[in-house]
């Protein structure tokens, strides 16, 4: 196992588009590191550059002690799992998993042993003699994982491996990958566009946008204090409420009159944007000293209810427990309950406090 | 052309995969590109020499054609042979070859149209409808293509004799269309399968009938595929030799390939005339392929792109 | 007008029985959602109602009239497709106008109607663009506009939000609810996303393997699933299902755990059961000394507003909803408190819920 060090990675395609712009990342040995961003943000290009499937225009990549810039993919000692599984359709599961080992020319007894071990770990024993066409999507992806595992490489690269699976299987596989990674202690670079997947899997998350790094941090750091407005919009569903506020009388107030607790050391009179998570707001019966608002819509999600309320011209998302019942159109009060929200400069889009 | 293939791919599937393929490593570029240039040059000479030689021969006077050593440059250019292709020697009327060319144009055009129209309709039905034993039917259609023309030419000759189709252009149109149909059906089915049937469903819910939905929505999207299919069908009909030589006897119905072949033989061969007629014969298909090249590229790559 | 009544719909594709006696009763003006996993027959149901699929058996009545054999164009329904099915060579305006053109309306009426619906969906600036020049969300809106431009009996929607990214999907959910309320017409909406179903529907029909499992309002489906299958499909994370067996006053699990037997399940004899526990009805905080499960931490999944704690009970992994601040290392032992009042029990063989 080894860490991955990326310095000044830059990738410009011949048509002039810059996919990755001077990116610095440091993935620790044994870390599950997630690169998150919308399509076209450069996350997949970065991963492919680490794998050697893409040659960077500038910058360096080190895996462990080795600078791999000029090494072909086969010599980098890494394994990659793709979105489209990329299983060989004419081979049984067993042979698919054994393929990279046979490519290394290992003795057949070792191959068999390692395949059986990987199959046991991913609960594939019953499927070893089937061909990919007779496996479900989740099973195929488990086989693809097993094929990556048997190599015992320096690092795993995962390119949206769960995107094509049904929601249920996706949640199970998420748990499985997380558990497997912590058990094996492997270094894993994981690319996804799904913020929920990134949050639940990653030890740390790097949020990319248009080839640039927006933020790196643990899931809770990224969730509680997004570094930019882009991150604030990208992480969390329903997304963070971003409301223009001004500071007076020691309180932050929105134009709708909602009062928020101000953080320390914020300049008075400045126009800023506050980021308020839906769970940091609560609805109460109107009156009660809360800011008046009107319910726009109610979404009952079983274990919670998401309300959209109109508070003085701003739509706010509010997350409430399942027992709450406010009908659409009802007059209610809305109140801020959480810690001081992060504030953003509307011009630079960066977090202030 | 290569660039257009790329563009077509980029247009269909924006994002990294296509862009990624472009970024090949640039190491040892100079050495590699030198080897490439040399190899390509050798290949070019080997491939183009016969064509250039044919072109030169068609433009040479007879004494230069037979000159030893051969003259590659510095001969007098004459269009004498091209005139012979079209105008009767010593007379003023059209030559036999001109009639053959006209026959080739008529026969290939109509057989291509027939095969393509029928092929598109049949392929649409096979693609969209639940037909009993669809796979078997499609395989049967393809299997008719397994037979080389020379195997079936005798029975066809006998049938045609009874039907009075021997030595007629109509006979050739029909047999060429029949030979092309399996190909056009299979190729068009591939293209139609690529177009989501939801377009037609949507049009039907909008208030169109099934056929209207096909003609208004699907057909316009098939133009590249139809162009590609038609070019291949046309090339087959245009170049066909065996059936034409067996099923025609007079110059009034014979197409150009057997007629040109007929120029060789006898005591002396007029190589200038052979070269000139071969050049004339090769031009129309080249021209046609060139005109529809955009569709051709889009059509050929259509099946390869994930939608 | 706008009631859809389908009875005993059956349809087979080769060996696959896509619909196996599906009955739906969609009242006029409802937002009715058909929910099910891929392959459940949802789309076939919708296509059969639209007339795009011929039924092997069963009937479709629209506003009381038998439409089983009517052509799609005659049914007066509008449909939104999953891949939008916008005609690629036409502009947004032409796409939207298509159903009106097919009905040969005068040009000025077509223009007026297109304009009106474009305003409703805020897509005026897209009207002259072709589908290739639009984003997924924009195409989705144009597809919606093409359906809304007429005033059909009912709107059929086939997973219209599936191809959108999460943020747009959340926005469009609110938007669709708003449009439905302002039009007051019947929406028959098909999806495999239980969040969409719960958040938008007046009524949900849960479909599985070509058969309707349960019909009800969202809360009913979530809180009173009729079988283990509906219980597992609706709700995220999925309901934990633990095999167990009633023994005296206790439920004994296959990995050795035991919990007090809920009073309403006392009548059950010793046959195998499944205990259904939602993640939010489990807690890592001590509540009731009697109702706890012991296990080891399997994985922690922080989701921001909550953290899912995966607990290994010795072979079965269950998910517990916890506060976002929870911490722990894989392998450490945990005690999970169970809210038995909110537990579900299912017959392990038939999968049917044991009634309370």
């Amino acid at each position: 196992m080894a860490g991955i060090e990326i310095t000044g990675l830059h990738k410009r395609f011949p048509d002039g588009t810059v996919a990755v712009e001077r990116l610095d990342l440091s993935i620790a040995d044994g870390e599950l590191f997630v690169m998150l961003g919308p399509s076209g943000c450069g996350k997949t290009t970065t991963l492919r550059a680490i794998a050697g499937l893409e040659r960077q225009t500038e910058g360096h990549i080190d895996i462990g002690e080795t600078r791999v810039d000029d090494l072909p993919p086969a010599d980098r000692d890494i394994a990659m799992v793709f979105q489209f599984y990329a299983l060989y359709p004419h081979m049984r599961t067993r042979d698919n998993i054994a393929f990279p080992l046979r490519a290394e020319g290992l003795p057949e007894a070792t191959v068999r042993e390692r395949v059986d071990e990987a199959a046991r770990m991913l609960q594939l024993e019953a499927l070893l003699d089937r061909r990919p066409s007779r496996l479900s999507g989740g099973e195929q992806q488990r086989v693809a994982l097993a094929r990556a595992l048997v190599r015992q490489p320096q690092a795993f690269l995962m390119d949206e491996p769960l995107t094509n699976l049904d929601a249920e299987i996706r949640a199970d596989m998420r748990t499985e990958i997380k558990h497997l990674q912590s058990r094996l202690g492997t270094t894993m670079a994981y690319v996804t566009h799904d913020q929920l997947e990134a949050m639940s899997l990653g030890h740390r998350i790097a949020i990319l946008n248009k080839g640039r790094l927006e933020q790196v941090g643990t899931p809770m750091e990224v969730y509680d204090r997004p570094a930019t407005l882009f991150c604030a919009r990208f992480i969390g569903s329903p997304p963070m409420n971003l409301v223009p506020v001004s500071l007076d009388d020691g309180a932050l107030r929105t134009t709708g009159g909602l009062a928020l607790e101000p953080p320390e050391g914020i300049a008075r009179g400045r126009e800023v944007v506050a980021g308020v998570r839906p769970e940091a707001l609560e609805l109460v019966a109107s009156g009660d000293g809360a800011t008046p608002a009107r319910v726009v819509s109610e979404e009952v999600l079983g274990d919670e209810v998401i309300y959209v309320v109109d508070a003085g011209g701003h739509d706010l998302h509010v997350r409430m427990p399942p027992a709450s019942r406010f009908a659409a159109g009802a007059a209610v009060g809305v109140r801020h309950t959480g810690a001081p929200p992060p504030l953003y400069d509307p011009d630079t889009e960066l977090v202030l406090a | 052309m290569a660039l257009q293939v790329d563009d077509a791919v980029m247009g269909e599937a924006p994002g990294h995969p296509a862009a990624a393929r472009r970024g090949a490593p640039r190491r040892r570029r100079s050495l590699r590109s030198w080897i490439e240039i040399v190899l390509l040059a050798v290949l070019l000479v080997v491939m183009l020499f016969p064509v250039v030689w044919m072109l030169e021969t068609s433009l040479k006077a007879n004494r230069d054609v037979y000159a030893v050593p051969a003259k590659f440059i510095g001969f007098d250019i004459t269009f004498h042979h091209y005139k012979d292709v079209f105008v009767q020697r010593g007379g003023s009327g059209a030559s036999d070859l001109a009639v053959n060319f006209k026959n080739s144009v008529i026969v290939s055009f109509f057989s291509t149209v027939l095969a393509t129209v029928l092929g598109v309709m049949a392929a649409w039905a096979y693609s969209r409808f639940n037909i009993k034993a669809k796979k078997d039917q499609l395989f049967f259609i393809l299997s008719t293509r397994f037979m080389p023309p020379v195997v079936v030419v005798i029975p066809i000759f006998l049938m045609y004799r009874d039907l009075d189709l021997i030595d007629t252009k109509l006979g050739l149109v029909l047999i060429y269309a029949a030979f092309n149909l399996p190909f056009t059906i299979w190729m068009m089915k591939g293209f139609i399968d690529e177009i989501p049937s939801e377009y037609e469903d949507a049009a039907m819910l909008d208030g169109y009938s099934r056929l209207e939905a096909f003609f208004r929505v699907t057909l316009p999207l098939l133009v590249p595929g139809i162009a590609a299919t038609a070019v291949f069908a046309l090339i087959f009909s245009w170049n066909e030799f065996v059936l034409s030589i067996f099923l025609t006897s007079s110059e009034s119905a014979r197409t150009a390939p057997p007629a040109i072949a007929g120029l060789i033989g006898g005591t002396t061969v007029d190589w200038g005339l052979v070269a000139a007629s071969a050049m004339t014969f090769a031009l129309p298909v080249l021209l046609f392929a060139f005109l529809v090249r955009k569709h051709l590229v889009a059509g050929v790559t259509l099946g390869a792109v994930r939608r | 007008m706008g009631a859809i009544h389908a009875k005993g719909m059956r349809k087979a594709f080769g060996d696959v029985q896509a619909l196996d006696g599906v009955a739906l009763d969609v009242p006029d003006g409802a937002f009715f959602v058909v929910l099910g996993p891929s392959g459940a027959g949802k789309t076939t149901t919708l296509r059969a109602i639209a007339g795009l699929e011929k039924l092997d058996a069963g009937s479709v009545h629209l506003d009381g009239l038998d439409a089983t054999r009517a052509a799609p164009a005659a049914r007066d329904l509008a449909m939104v497709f999953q891949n939008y099915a916008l005609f690629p060579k036409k502009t947004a305006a032409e796409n939207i106008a298509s159903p009106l053109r097919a009905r040969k309306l005068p040009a000025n009426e077509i223009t007026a109607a297109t304009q009106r619906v474009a305003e409703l969906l805020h897509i005026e600036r897209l009207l002259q663009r072709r589908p290739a020049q639009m984003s997924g969300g924009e195409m989705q809106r144009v597809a919606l506009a093409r359906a809304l431009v007429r005033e059909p009996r009912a709107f059929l929607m086939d997973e219209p939000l599936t191809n959108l990214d999460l943020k747009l999907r959340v926005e469009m959910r609110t938007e669709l609810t708003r449009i439905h309320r302002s039009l007051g017409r019947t929406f028959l909406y098909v999806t495999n996303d239980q969040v969409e179903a719960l958040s938008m529907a007046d009524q949900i029909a849960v479909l599985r393997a070509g058969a309707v499992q349960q019909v009800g309002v969202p809360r009913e489906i979530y809180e009173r699933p009729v079988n283990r299958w509906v219980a597992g499909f609706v709700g995220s994370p999925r309901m934990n299902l633990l095999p167990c067996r009633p023994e005296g006053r206790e439920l004994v699990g296959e990995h050795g755990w035991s919990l007090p037997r809920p009073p309403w399940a006392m009548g059950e004899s010793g046959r195998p059961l499944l205990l259904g526990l939602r993640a939010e009805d489990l807690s890592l905080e001590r509540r009731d000394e009697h109702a706890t499960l012991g296990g080891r931490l399997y994985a922690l999944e922080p989701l921001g507003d909550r953290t899912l704690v995966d607990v290994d009970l010795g072979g079965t992994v269950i998910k517990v909803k916890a506060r976002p601040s929870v911490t722990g290392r894989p392998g450490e032992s945990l005690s999970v408190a169970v809210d038995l009042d909110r537990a579900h029990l299912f017959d392990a063989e038939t999968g049917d819920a044991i009634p309370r």
Side-chain angles (χ1 to χ4, degrees):
Chain A
M1 295 301 143
I4 299 169
E5 204 71 38
I6 295 171
T7 21
L9 186 76
H10 196 77
K11 175 70 191 180
R12 192 177 53 243
F13 286 113
D15 64 355
T17 48
V18 176
V20 181
E21 206 172 333
R22 315 217 174 278
L23 183 69
D24 296 305
L25 283 179
S26 172
I27 303 173
D29 189 359
E31 185 177 26
L32 206 177
F33 189 86
V34 178
M35 289 185 265
L36 171 69
S39 60
C41 74
K43 56 189 191 302
T44 298
T45 308
T46 307
L47 198 73
R48 292 174 60 86
I50 300 174
L53 299 170
E54 205 78 71
R55 167 73 181 168
Q56 66 267 30
T57 319
E58 280 167 49
H60 302 291
I61 298 169
D62 299 83
I63 299 177
E65 302 293 309
T66 323
R67 177 144 293 185
V68 297
D69 293 351
D70 293 321
L71 292 181
D75 296 346
R76 296 190 180 197
D77 196 15
I78 35 142
M80 190 154 171
V81 177
F82 296 88
Q83 188 176 345
F84 292 98
Y85 323 137
L87 296 182
Y88 308 114
H90 58 291
M91 292 185 192
R92 293 174 305 163
T93 300
R94 183 188 300 284
D95 300 321
N96 258 297
I97 300 175
F99 192 79
L101 299 179
R102 293 200 176 125
E104 282 176 36
L106 290 178
E108 200 54 29
T110 319
V111 170
R112 177 165 282 271
E113 195 179 301
R114 297 257 286 269
V115 169
D116 286 344
E117 192 195 335
R120 197 164 46 246
M121 216 179 294
L122 286 156
Q123 292 150 31
L124 288 169
E125 291 105 323
L127 309 175
L128 279 175
D129 289 318
R130 294 205 195 157
R131 282 175 207 273
S133 57
R134 290 189 47 221
L135 300 175
S136 72
E139 289 166 349
Q140 289 191 33
Q141 194 54 283
R142 291 222 304 275
V143 175
L145 273 174
R147 190 174 60 183
L149 275 178
V150 282
R151 288 259 317 277
Q152 304 176 346
Q154 297 269 19
F156 288 101
L157 309 180
M158 317 273 263
D159 186 9
E160 309 219 10
L162 306 184
T163 301
N164 288 330
L165 301 178
D166 283 349
E168 283 174 67
I169 305 164
R170 202 153 63 215
D172 289 348
M173 286 295 293
R174 216 166 66 193
T175 316
E176 229 28 71
I177 289 176
K178 181 131 192 188
H179 178 73
L180 209 62
Q181 193 274 340
S182 72
R183 205 179 118 194
L184 301 176
T186 50
T187 308
M188 203 179 264
Y190 189 107
V191 157
T192 181
H193 67 267
D194 179 344
Q195 52 98 16
L196 209 62
E197 209 168 288
M199 292 280 296
S200 63
L201 273 176
H203 295 153
R204 283 190 306 151
I205 302 173
I207 302 175
L208 297 170
N209 180 30
K210 293 178 185 156
R212 288 176 202 238
L213 189 64
E214 296 269 336
Q215 185 172 14
V216 186
T218 65
M220 288 320 292
E221 279 168 17
V222 169
Y223 187 82
D224 288 337
R225 203 166 173 282
T228 63
L229 279 179
F230 175 83
C231 297
R233 290 191 193 101
F234 201 74
I235 298 275
S237 176
M240 206 174 221
N241 296 298
L242 295 170
V243 281
V245 291
S246 52
L247 184 73
D248 46 39
D249 309 335
L252 289 168
R253 273 185 199 286
T254 70
T255 44
L258 181 68
L260 307 168
E261 197 181 318
E264 299 288 318
I266 177 82
R268 204 164 252 279
R270 238 182 117 172
E271 289 299 317
V272 292
V273 173
V276 188
R277 288 280 172 208
E279 59 270 22
L281 293 173
E282 70 172 355
L283 295 189
V284 292
S286 65
D288 246 3
T291 314
R294 188 165 292 280
V295 176
V296 176
S297 77
E298 179 199 28
E299 297 189 348
V300 181
L301 299 183
D303 62 333
E304 61 188 25
V305 185
I306 307 290
Y307 290 98
V308 180
V309 298
D310 178 355
H314 281 290
D315 276 358
L316 297 175
H317 284 92
V318 183
R319 194 190 296 270
M320 293 291 285
S324 57
R325 300 211 173 166
F326 298 97
V332 292
V334 59
R335 210 158 45 191
H336 182 241
T337 58
L343 299 179
Y344 298 88
D345 183 319
D347 300 321
T348 63
E349 305 216 330
L350 297 177
V351 71
L352 292 167
Chain B
M1 291 282 256
L3 188 74
Q4 281 171 346
V5 174
D6 256 356
D7 287 346
V9 173
M10 294 288 283
E12 296 281 337
H16 1 276
R21 247 174 280 127
R22 291 179 162 197
R26 296 218 172 137
R27 279 174 295 153
R28 283 164 281 161
R29 179 191 180 126
S30 56
L31 177 65
R32 236 179 84 179
S33 54
W34 270 113
I35 295 173
E36 277 171 9
I37 288 169
V38 171
L39 280 176
L40 283 174
V42 170
L43 205 64
L44 199 71
V45 170
V46 172
M47 301 290 271
L48 281 185
F49 178 75
V51 181
V52 172
W53 187 242
M54 187 167 80
L55 180 66
E56 287 195 352
T57 306
S58 73
L59 295 172
K60 283 176 185 171
N62 272 336
R63 62 171 191 290
D64 289 334
V65 169
Y66 294 105
V68 179
K71 286 185 175 177
F72 288 96
I73 44 167
F75 53 83
D76 295 326
I77 289 177
T78 167
F79 289 96
H80 179 73
H81 299 306
Y82 284 94
K83 190 182 153 223
D84 284 350
V85 171
F86 292 106
V87 185
Q88 202 146 36
R89 206 168 292 187
S92 55
S95 68
D96 286 349
L97 267 174
V99 176
N100 297 141
F101 272 118
K102 200 182 82 193
N103 292 343
S104 264
V105 170
I106 292 170
V107 168
S108 358
F109 176 79
F110 283 105
S111 71
T112 299
V113 169
L114 193 63
T116 308
V117 168
L118 289 176
V120 169
M121 298 308 289
W124 178 64
Y126 277 117
S127 175
R128 294 291 193 248
F129 294 95
N130 266 319
I131 297 170
K132 267 209 188 94
K134 186 196 278 191
K135 278 188 180 166
D136 303 319
Q137 286 191 31
L138 279 169
F139 181 76
F140 170 75
I141 288 169
L142 187 68
S143 69
T144 61
R145 191 76 203 216
F146 294 167
M147 266 177 295
V150 73
V151 175
V152 289
V153 76
I154 303 297
I156 287 171
F157 180 83
L158 296 175
M159 270 162 55
Y160 267 37
R161 201 176 51 188
D162 291 344
L163 293 169
D164 274 340
L165 283 171
I166 293 286
D167 205 21
T168 60
K169 290 194 271 288
L170 177 66
L172 285 181
V173 168
L174 290 178
I175 194 71
Y176 286 179
F179 262 88
N180 267 326
L181 200 51
F183 166 76
T184 54
I185 291 175
W186 271 77
M187 187 147 169
M188 285 315 300
K189 183 170 178 295
F191 288 123
I192 296 173
D193 285 346
E194 285 292 311
I195 295 175
S197 59
E198 277 93 341
Y199 288 142
E200 286 164 47
D201 293 344
M204 281 197 288
L205 280 164
D206 284 353
Y208 293 108
S209 72
R210 212 182 223 297
L211 273 181
E212 274 179 314
F214 171 72
F215 282 112
R216 280 171 182 269
V217 179
T218 308
L219 197 60
L221 300 176
L222 279 177
V223 169
I226 292 175
T229 310
V231 167
F232 286 116
L234 182 76
I235 289 170
F236 169 83
S237 310
W238 187 252
N239 292 340
E240 210 290 325
F241 179 80
V242 176
L243 291 167
S244 175
I245 206 164
F246 274 89
L247 299 179
T248 59
S249 49
S250 70
E251 300 300 333
S252 69
R254 178 155 293 183
T255 56
I260 295 173
L263 295 176
I264 308 173
T267 46
T268 55
V269 177
D270 186 350
W271 287 111
L273 180 64
V274 172
S277 48
M279 283 307 291
T280 317
F281 183 70
L283 262 179
V285 173
L286 279 178
L287 199 70
F288 183 63
F290 180 75
L291 287 176
V292 299
R293 71 194 185 286
K294 217 176 95 193
H295 290 314
L296 205 57
V297 171
V300 172
T301 54
L302 192 66
V305 176
R306 189 166 58 91
R307 54 160 205 273
Chain C
M1 53 162 279
I4 301 168
H5 194 76
K7 265 195 309 200
M9 293 199 291
R10 294 177 64 82
K11 172 82 188 172
F13 296 103
D15 300 338
V16 184
Q17 191 71 37
L19 299 184
D20 197 0
V22 170
L24 288 179
D25 209 343
V26 184
D28 182 19
F31 199 132
F32 193 99
V33 174
V34 177
L35 173 68
S38 51
K42 310 179 298 280
T43 299
T44 312
T45 302
L46 207 63
R47 290 173 58 85
I49 289 170
L52 296 170
E53 216 69 76
K54 215 168 85 190
L55 287 170
D56 298 337
S59 65
V60 177
H61 283 76
L62 301 171
D63 290 323
L65 300 170
D66 189 352
T68 313
R69 261 165 262 288
R75 299 191 182 205
D76 193 21
L77 300 166
M79 186 153 165
V80 181
F81 293 83
Q82 183 180 352
N83 58 6
Y84 318 131
L86 294 179
F87 309 137
K89 301 218 158 174
K90 294 183 177 172
T91 63
E94 287 163 350
N95 262 294
I96 296 170
S98 164
L100 302 181
R101 278 218 191 107
R103 286 172 169 71
K104 312 228 165 16
L105 260 64
N108 57 343
E109 266 181 51
I110 293 180
T111 319
T114 307
Q115 201 59 39
R116 179 179 51 76
V117 73
E119 276 164 30
L120 177 72
L121 288 164
H122 315 295
I123 49 169
E124 296 98 319
R125 63 195 176 79
L126 300 178
L127 284 178
Q128 294 319 312
R129 291 201 208 157
R130 283 170 207 282
Q133 301 161 304
M134 297 181 211
S135 70
E138 290 169 344
M139 285 199 270
Q140 215 283 327
R141 275 167 196 267
V142 174
L144 211 54
R146 185 173 67 186
L148 295 174
V149 74
R150 300 194 282 132
E151 301 197 339
R153 217 185 275 278
F155 296 97
L156 311 182
M157 306 198 182
D158 185 9
E159 311 205 18
L161 307 187
T162 303
N163 291 338
L164 300 182
D165 66 31
L166 177 76
K167 218 175 102 191
L168 269 171
R169 231 163 34 223
V170 175
E171 276 175 33
M172 283 308 291
R173 264 173 11 210
T174 316
E175 185 83 356
L176 277 174
T177 320
R178 181 180 69 85
I179 292 171
H180 174 251
R181 213 179 302 141
S182 70
L183 294 179
R185 278 170 193 277
T186 312
F187 277 34
L188 180 56
Y189 187 104
V190 154
T191 181
N192 63 11
D193 180 350
Q194 48 99 22
V195 175
E196 279 176 28
L198 289 175
S199 60
M200 295 191 293
D202 299 335
Q203 272 198 75
I204 300 175
V206 186
L207 205 63
R208 182 204 174 202
V212 175
Q213 307 286 307
Q214 186 173 5
V215 182
V217 302
R219 272 185 211 269
E220 244 173 81
I221 302 272
Y222 188 82
E223 288 167 8
R224 292 274 172 272
V226 296
N227 57 36
R228 63 174 285 193
W229 189 84
V230 173
F233 189 70
V234 178
S236 173
R238 185 169 26 162
M239 184 188 277
N240 301 299
L241 290 170
L242 300 173
C244 62
R245 179 179 291 281
E247 275 178 23
R249 309 202 133 267
E250 292 191 320
L251 291 171
V252 179
E254 63 175 14
H255 304 301
W257 54 263
S258 72
L259 288 171
R261 194 162 158 185
W264 44 270
M266 281 304 176
E268 299 302 316
S269 56
R271 64 188 160 131
L273 298 174
L274 283 172
L275 176 66
L277 299 166
R278 293 221 184 261
E280 67 266 25
D281 300 330
L282 297 170
S283 160
L284 297 179
E285 290 148 35
R286 287 189 173 269
R287 279 198 296 228
D288 179 355
E289 292 298 327
H290 303 293
T292 56
L293 296 168
R296 289 183 183 282
L297 182 63
Y298 191 73
L300 274 185
E301 301 179 45
L303 302 181
D305 61 317
R306 77 198 97 160
T307 292
L308 292 180
V309 182
D310 298 284
V311 181
D312 186 354
L313 299 181
T316 313
V317 177
I318 59 168
K319 285 186 194 291
V320 178
K321 186 171 162 180
R323 281 175 293 109
S325 54
V326 70
T327 55
R329 301 197 62 77
E332 74 179 48
S333 38
L334 289 173
S335 163
V336 180
V338 179
D339 185 351
L340 276 175
D341 292 343
R342 300 185 58 82
H344 304 257
L345 278 173
F346 305 95
D347 186 312
E349 268 156 38
T350 64
D352 291 339
I354 311 277
R356 297 202 171 207

